[in-house]
Each structure stands twice: as structure tokens, then as C-alpha cells.
Amino acid sequence: MFETIAKKKVLPDGTKLTTFTREVTGAKTLEVEVGTNGFKGGNAEHGSRTYFRITDIGNTDMFVKTSRRPFSNNTESAEFILGGDCELETIIRALKFVVKVLEEESAEVVD
């Protein structure tokens, strides 16, 4: 049905993750990659790492805006704006894949 590809990824802080990538196709196509090393019992300094990426690979009407916290390198917000019914459909499917992978890889029991 949909091919999911497992990859090894090293984050900028050196954390190694297994990520899972797949295409989400409709009239437009997105690629989504997601991974986590699961719950570690801590904050950003000692806790888990979670990664996801959404890439347009087929004319998706997508705009992403980020803003930075004052006096920091941290991102304060990320806004995703998509135009069109197909974009709505593909982003829903992409985000469902993100949630599925994160739930499975974190070994969290979700009701």
C-alpha cells in the first residue's frame, strides 16, 4: 500500500534516531519523516528527542512561517498555511502518520 522507509538520523545535538519516511499522495504529494527516541524522564536537557519533517514533493500550496524568541536561538512558533482541498487531505494523512509513529516509538499506551 504505502511504503515506509526506516532511516538513521543524527540530530544537531548528536542524538541518534531511527526515523520513518513515507509519501502521502493525492492530487499533490508530501513526504513526511518522523522519529523519536521515546520518553526519557526529563526536559530538553535530559529528555527525549522528537523530530518530524514535512516536504512538498508535488506542487503542494504550502507556506511555513517561523518566529524566534527574543534573545534566543529557539523558535517561538511555526505556522503552516496550506491552500486547497487536496492539501487539507494530504496534511491530515501526514499528521496521522506522525502521530502513529510517535505513539509506537514512544511505547506510550494511548486510550
Side-chain angles (χ1 to χ4, degrees), residues 31-43:
E31 180 180 83
V32 61
E33 180 180 10
V34 58
T36 185
N37 61 356
F39 292 106
K40 302 293 181 193
N43 59 12

Side-chain angles (χ1 to χ4, degrees), residues 3-74:
E3 181 181 18
T4 300
I5 300 166
K7 300 180 191 178
K8 299 293 182 190
K9 183 163 200 80
V10 179
L11 300 181
D13 70 353
T15 302
K16 296 176 183 175
L17 298 178
T18 298
T19 63
F20 300 89
T21 303
R22 71 171 258 203
E23 286 186 11
V24 179
T25 303
K28 311 292 174 90
T29 304
L30 296 173
E31 180 180 83
V32 61
E33 180 180 10
V34 58
T36 185
N37 61 356
F39 292 106
K40 302 293 181 193
N43 59 12
E45 190 173 332
H46 302 290
S48 67
R49 294 290 180 265
T50 302
Y51 169 88
F52 75 92
R53 171 185 56 81
I54 297 172
T55 303
D56 169 35
I57 58 174
N59 273 345
T60 300
D61 181 358
M62 178 172 65
F63 175 78
V64 179
K65 177 183 170 188
T66 61
S67 65
R68 296 268 184 214
R69 291 192 188 283
F71 312 109
S72 171
N73 287 328
N74 290 338

